Amino acid sequence: MESRYQQLTPAPTVLPHGGKLVDLVVPQDKVSAIKQDAAPYPSLVLTHRQLCDLELLMNGGFSPLTQFMNQRTYNSVVESMTFPEHNDLLFPMPVTLDP
């Protein structure tokens, strides 16, 4: 008797853009120490869009980015849609912490 259910084979893993998934989320056991280290620094109030960009940086949604773009990277992305730090990888959208 044939099974009504097909056996599914797992889909091949898709590599993240740039080949490495960036994970900047702080492990729970290090949160209090990092907060204490950061206490002397000024704080910023971020807009909703800035918070979304920060979350995407932290969870790898903007891989291979590990920080907001500097001027050199920003100019390269705007002019040629390439990410110079990663062998001119295609990256069509500048990601900056704008004022």
Side-chain angles (χ1 to χ4, degrees):
M1 175 175 194
E2 286 186 40
S3 171
R4 293 181 13 191
Y5 304 100
Q6 294 178 346
Q7 182 162 353
L8 300 176
T9 55
T13 303
V14 176
L15 291 177
H17 193 61
K20 181 182 177 196
L21 182 62
V22 173
D23 181 8
L24 302 175
V25 177
V26 176
Q28 192 62 39
D29 61 326
K30 295 183 181 181
V31 169
S32 61
I34 289 176
K35 282 184 179 181
Q36 188 174 11
D37 291 344
Y41 295 105
S43 62
L44 298 172
V45 177
L46 301 178
T47 66
H48 181 71
R49 191 193 58 76
Q50 290 168 331
L51 284 170
C52 289
D53 285 351
L54 182 59
E55 183 177 357
L56 286 167
L57 274 171
M58 291 174 61
N59 68 22
F62 286 143
S63 287
L65 285 179
T66 58
Q67 62 187 15
F68 288 104
M69 292 180 177
N70 59 28
Q71 188 69 46
R72 176 177 173 260
T73 304
Y74 173 84
N75 289 339
S76 179
V77 168
V78 169
E79 293 168 8
S80 63
M81 294 194 311
T82 59
F83 193 36
E85 288 85 355
H86 290 275
N87 299 321
D88 292 328
L89 178 71
L90 177 66
F91 207 95
M93 177 179 61
V95 180
T96 61
L97 183 59
D98 57 356

